[in-house]
Amino acid sequence: MPEQLDVDDSAVPELLARGELTVEGRLVDASNVTLFCSISLDGVTANAVYKPVSGERPLWDFPDGTLAGREVATYLISETSGLGGVPHTVLRDGPFGEGMVQFWVETTQDELVDVRAPADLPDGWRVVLHAHDRLGEPAVLAHADDPGLRQLAALDIVVNNTDRKGGHLLVASGGRVFGVDHGICLHADPKLRTVLWGWVGEPLPDDVAEKLRRFRSTLDGDFGVSLAAHLTGREIGAVSRRVDSLLAAGSFPEPNDEWRAIPWPLF
């Protein structure tokens, strides 16, 4: 992929909302149609990901709304709460109809999640799962103990992320951690499935708890109403209940035995 051009952050919302999208290629590893695009407006050009609604595969357990709408709703929740990092995302028309358009994040090669032999684990990494490799040797699924990653773990609880794979976690060239691919989030029923279980039972950091408290008040006002463009009333109510439960517990939850808690494949 070409490198992302330097674009001032303040120009990104208008660029994504009104810029001309030109499809440059397709990301073939994605489950749904995912297109790499250039986007231009008033002499400013950058890169973006475009996922048209017309390219979505129907999911029996997510019958309402669209995956694109859930991506946008997750971005709005992240932006409003201040939890985690999700690249700027909009819902707009494009070459193949309405879809999600997300600012392209230029990434480093830094690893945040990996499967390694226990002796090869970097200092401070959090072990999620003990296993054995194909030769029978011990292996662990683990992730970095990174504050940005911890905030994304809290965001995933709030949005009920059903598919937080290691490959959905990016380190931007400036060092900030981002999460992408949020099309199957925000179901009303509990479905949290993630590789970020390394903080189970630990208290929520003070800054995370404060962000959750401030965010909870917005759900009863105009922001909660704005989510109705993308989610059902039952789903919006479930967001409030998840925030309330997380604040009441004051700690990161444990996996639930009622469903598979770790996605497959892992990356």
Side-chain angles (χ1 to χ4, degrees):
M1 295 292 181
E3 287 190 6
Q4 175 72 291
L5 300 178
D6 225 2
V7 178
D8 188 271
D9 288 347
S10 63
V12 171
E14 188 74 1
L15 177 64
L16 287 188
R18 295 181 49 238
E20 180 180 356
L21 279 172
T22 302
V23 176
E24 305 285 351
R26 180 173 177 177
L27 305 182
V28 295
D29 292 337
S31 301
N32 298 280
V33 174
T34 302
L35 303 171
F36 178 77
C37 300
S38 61
I39 186 166
S40 302
L41 180 69
D42 297 335
V44 176
T45 300
N47 299 321
V49 173
Y50 165 47
K51 298 182 182 180
V53 172
S54 60
E56 296 180 2
R57 295 188 308 171
L59 298 174
W60 67 268
D61 54 343
F62 280 82
D64 300 307
T66 65
L67 305 187
R70 294 177 186 280
E71 294 242 30
V72 173
T74 299
Y75 163 73
L76 294 173
I77 289 171
S78 173
E79 188 73 3
T80 301
S81 66
L83 286 173
V86 177
H88 194 97
T89 311
V90 300
L91 190 68
R92 54 160 286 182
D93 196 33
F96 299 102
E98 185 177 63
M100 179 221 78
V101 178
Q102 186 173 81
F103 192 68
W104 179 265
V105 174
E106 192 66 30
T107 62
T108 69
Q109 297 300 311
D110 294 343
E111 297 287 350
L112 292 170
V113 180
D114 207 354
V115 176
R116 300 190 184 189
D120 296 337
L121 205 62
D123 290 342
W125 272 43
R126 300 300 188 103
V127 173
V128 173
L129 182 69
H130 292 268
H132 292 85
D133 65 17
R134 61 187 179 84
L135 299 177
E137 296 298 322
V140 293
L141 169 65
H143 60 71
D145 188 9
D146 180 277
L149 206 58
R150 189 166 54 230
Q151 292 224 5
L152 271 174
L155 175 68
D156 284 345
I157 298 165
V158 171
V159 302
N160 196 21
N161 195 339
T162 308
D163 193 37
R164 175 61 82 201
K165 293 182 171 71
H168 299 169
L169 299 161
L170 312 175
V171 182
S173 53
R176 186 179 178 189
V177 176
F178 285 93
V180 297
D181 286 333
H182 298 112
I184 49 175
C185 291
L186 294 159
H187 200 287
D189 298 331
K191 290 177 177 283
L192 182 62
R193 186 176 294 123
T194 175
V195 295
L196 300 179
W197 288 113
W199 296 284
V200 165
E202 294 191 10
L204 297 174
D206 291 343
D207 61 329
V208 170
E210 180 57 30
K211 288 177 179 180
L212 287 168
R213 281 189 286 269
R214 290 200 304 266
F215 173 64
R216 179 62 182 86
S217 65
T218 70
L219 288 168
D220 295 328
D222 291 343
F223 179 69
V225 173
S226 71
L227 288 177
H230 309 294
L231 305 173
T232 66
R234 183 167 174 259
E235 289 166 340
I236 296 169
V239 175
S240 298
R241 290 191 294 276
R242 288 192 293 268
V243 174
D244 288 342
S245 295
L246 193 51
L247 284 171
S251 60
F252 286 92
E254 296 183 2
N256 193 305
D257 292 335
E258 295 180 8
W259 63 89
R260 180 165 49 88
I262 295 177
W264 188 263
L266 298 171
F267 298 92

